[in-house]
Amino acid sequence: MLQWSTVRKDRLDYRSSFWNTQRTVSEGKMSIYSINLRKLIRIFFAPQNLQISILRGDIRSEIAKAEGFESGGGDFYVPFWRDAKDHTIGAVDLHAATEARISMNERRLNLYPQLRDGFLLWWNERRRWTNEPFQEIRSPKGSLRLVRLNATVKIENFLSLQGREDDLHFVYPYFSPRPELSEQSARLMLWAIATANLGVPDDALRVLDVIRGNSFSIDNVGFDGGEEEEFSRRYRSTINLWESLWSEYE
């Protein structure tokens, strides 16, 4: 009888621990309420099946973290973007750097060449307008707080360059192969950055669809005054979908 009680207690303790873990993650839900801008824009404009796939992966990652398991892989795109930045100041050759990255991790074999070719398509076109060297300057970093949603959108990791004294460039990257960055999605991305008050001059700001080599500026897309409402509506819809999917895991 004593043995049975001990085993039963162990099982109850395990079950209690499991549900406490679930409850902690559920109460926090930090992944959707504190999110990177480029990831959020991707979710906004992805087809529904891709939206669900992204959010399910996000939920599983949150649960794994709460249970003490870390992915340890870091951001897939960070090494490429570091090499791209170094290429713009002449510190590395992006072709050679990309090959070296792929040799270290074969998971990069598909997307890294696409990112390289798209970035160079954009960069080489820009270089046609000036032969002056660029230097990397301090990159702005901040967030956009949406009080009504109790949410924070993180904005960071610009390509920040200075040529002549008054020649400044702040380029915010969008890496995803799909959906591509459209004029509509670029407008919301630019609005979020401008509204976050990062100290970036409007005429120096670009968002770049890296794979396709397409950049957008505020002058290109213009603001129509409805950006805040659309951004909030899409974010609220994303949260609702996340909550609905989360309930399946609870």
Side-chain angles (χ1 to χ4, degrees):
M1 185 69 175
L2 183 60
Q3 266 189 325
W4 180 86
S5 297
T6 302
V7 172
R8 183 174 179 270
K9 182 180 184 300
D10 288 344
R11 288 178 177 173
L12 289 174
D13 287 346
Y14 171 80
R15 184 177 180 183
S16 174
S17 174
F18 174 78
W19 285 112
N20 284 338
T21 297
Q22 296 288 69
R23 191 178 297 111
T24 299
V25 180
S26 179
E27 289 169 355
K29 297 187 176 69
M30 290 306 294
S31 58
I32 197 62
Y33 288 98
S34 180
I35 191 169
N36 193 285
L37 176 60
R38 65 181 64 88
K39 181 178 180 180
L40 186 60
I41 291 293
R42 184 189 185 205
I43 296 170
F44 281 179
F45 290 91
Q48 189 176 47
N49 63 336
L50 181 55
Q51 279 186 336
I52 291 172
S53 176
I54 295 169
L55 293 178
R56 283 192 187 280
D58 189 65
I59 290 168
R60 289 192 293 268
S61 176
E62 285 297 297
I63 292 172
K65 288 178 184 177
E67 293 177 347
F69 298 98
E70 296 289 344
S71 64
D75 191 322
F76 177 83
Y77 299 103
V78 165
F80 167 81
W81 194 233
R82 180 63 264 166
D83 292 339
K85 291 179 179 183
D86 287 343
H87 180 88
T88 63
I89 59 174
V92 304
D93 174 77
L94 191 54
H95 282 279
T98 300
E99 291 302 316
R101 295 290 187 185
I102 292 171
S103 70
M104 291 186 286
N105 186 345
E106 290 188 355
R107 289 180 55 244
R108 299 166 176 161
L109 181 60
N110 179 37
L111 282 181
Y112 268 41
Q114 295 182 54
L115 292 164
R116 175 200 64 205
D117 293 347
F119 181 83
L120 290 176
L121 177 68
W122 169 79
W123 177 248
N124 291 337
E125 179 64 23
R126 169 165 294 282
R127 292 300 289 165
R128 288 176 57 191
W129 298 96
T130 177
N131 289 321
E132 293 190 18
F134 287 101
Q135 62 176 331
E136 188 173 6
I137 57 177
R138 184 175 181 179
S139 187
K141 180 179 181 180
S143 60
L144 176 66
R145 177 72 176 159
L146 289 90
V147 177
R148 292 184 179 179
L149 298 178
N150 193 28
T152 300
V153 182
K154 296 174 286 187
I155 306 171
E156 56 192 11
N157 208 357
F158 288 78
L159 167 62
S160 304
L161 299 173
Q162 181 173 3
R164 300 180 307 276
E165 183 177 348
D166 59 346
D167 184 24
L168 300 174
H169 305 273
F170 299 93
V171 182
Y172 184 80
Y174 175 84
F175 299 113
S176 301
R178 66 186 184 104
E180 69 178 273
L181 199 62
S182 65
E183 185 173 302
Q184 183 183 12
S185 53
R187 180 183 295 113
L188 289 188
M189 187 175 276
L190 287 162
W191 171 84
I193 297 170
T195 305
N197 295 319
L198 304 182
V200 177
D202 286 353
D203 60 355
L205 175 61
R206 300 290 185 274
V207 294
L208 175 64
D209 186 338
V210 178
I211 285 180
R212 280 156 283 268
N214 291 333
S215 66
F216 301 83
S217 68
I218 294 176
D219 284 343
N220 292 151
V221 302
F223 292 155
D224 59 20
E227 289 78 21
E228 181 176 5
E229 180 181 352
E230 181 182 356
F231 195 98
S232 297
R233 174 179 56 80
R234 288 181 180 273
Y235 201 170
R236 186 176 295 108
S237 177
T238 299
I239 290 172
N240 290 342
L241 178 55
W242 199 98
E243 296 275 1
S244 176
L245 294 169
W246 178 268
S247 66
E248 298 178 14
Y249 291 83
E250 287 188 309

